[in-house]
Amino acid sequence: MEQFFTAVDERVETIVHRGRKGALSALRDAQIFKTIYAYGLRRAEATGLDVADLRPNGAAPRFGRFGAVDVRWGKGSHGSGPRRRSVLTLPELGWITDGLAQWIDAARPRFTDSASGPLWPTERGSRVSPRYIDLRFAAIRDQLEWPAELSVHALRHTYVTNLIEWGYAEKFVQDQVGHAYASTTAIYTSVGDDYKNRMIAKALSRVYGGPDDTTQ
């Protein structure tokens, strides 16, 4: 994630430094990717967001107007319409609120005069499409020389894995990402070796006593 977000941020700085057009679009793209990761969104869910879908969370006032995101275009079951859900801003990902504030207050008005409507407008005033997100992700992925099979869905996958590693209950994770079944969430929980080693160290300490080496 650090490599990816560094690359998207550097793209903005490079365009500005060279005096070329497209810096605002690059800034928008960077914020889209960060929002997808910070809320575990699908492509269509991200592109379907309106400004009004960002709202406070009374239980977490520190995040101000960005305490939660109302997803209106969640993936529904067969034969049903879109499933709605509310995704809460998490303390570990609270940095997303600064980026959203910068985008809405300073950058987005350069695309449109309307304070409402699509969160991610294009230069023509339309809504950014899922295909556009795919193309931009692929460009950054290829720049980093990552495997071609990686798609933007990897950001959502990483979100689920991180939440499990941070100790969130699977039911909470399931609700955050809008999975109808816990078994679907379980597919994504491919935690890293560091997490596994911390869990083993805690288990050894619990069963056999002695210090917990997870902080070393």
Side-chain angles (χ1 to χ4, degrees):
M1 286 299 92
E2 290 179 0
Q3 291 179 17
F4 182 80
F5 290 141
T6 295
V8 296
D9 287 339
E10 287 180 347
R11 179 169 174 261
V12 180
E13 296 173 3
T14 298
I15 294 174
V16 172
H17 179 72
R18 293 178 179 176
R20 296 167 50 191
K21 295 181 179 180
L24 282 173
S25 296
L27 177 63
R28 177 199 60 206
D29 298 347
Q31 192 56 46
I32 290 175
F33 290 129
K34 292 174 183 179
T35 301
I36 288 175
Y37 166 64
Y39 293 100
L41 302 178
R42 301 177 178 93
R43 296 171 309 150
E45 293 172 348
T47 57
L49 289 177
D50 286 346
V51 175
D53 294 325
L54 306 176
R55 63 172 179 80
N57 175 10
R62 67 180 300 154
F63 298 132
R65 51 188 164 146
F66 305 118
V69 172
D70 287 331
V71 176
R72 294 176 292 113
W73 300 100
K75 183 178 180 181
S77 303
H78 294 294
S80 68
R83 297 179 67 237
R84 302 185 63 148
R85 72 182 188 279
S86 182
V87 186
L88 305 181
T89 304
L90 304 179
E92 294 86 352
L93 302 171
W95 47 261
I96 190 64
T97 61
D98 290 336
L100 287 171
Q102 179 190 38
W103 168 250
I104 291 177
D105 296 339
R108 185 180 177 277
R110 304 284 295 274
F111 285 91
T112 176
D113 295 331
S114 176
S116 60
L119 181 59
W120 317 112
T122 68
E123 294 83 347
R124 297 180 180 180
S126 59
R127 193 182 294 270
V128 166
S129 70
R131 174 168 171 72
Y132 176 83
I133 292 178
D134 283 341
L135 293 174
R136 290 309 320 148
F137 180 89
I140 301 298
R141 177 200 64 205
D142 294 345
Q143 173 189 326
L144 293 170
E145 299 182 345
W146 286 357
E149 62 265 29
L150 282 177
S151 70
V152 70
H153 197 73
L155 301 180
R156 176 174 161 88
H157 189 157
T158 304
Y159 173 84
V160 174
T161 299
N162 287 162
L163 263 61
I164 295 297
E165 291 182 339
W166 293 334
Y168 287 95
E170 285 197 30
K171 181 60 172 67
F172 177 83
V173 179
Q174 179 184 346
D175 292 342
Q176 284 282 98
V177 297
H179 286 156
Y181 305 101
S183 58
T184 305
T185 306
I187 295 174
Y188 288 75
T189 55
S190 53
V191 296
D193 289 339
D194 288 344
Y195 172 80
K196 296 174 184 176
N197 290 334
R198 291 198 303 270
M199 293 302 100
I200 286 295
K202 287 183 179 180
L204 289 170
S205 177
R206 182 176 65 252
V207 175
Y208 298 107
D212 181 347
D213 296 329
T214 57
T215 59
Q216 297 182 6

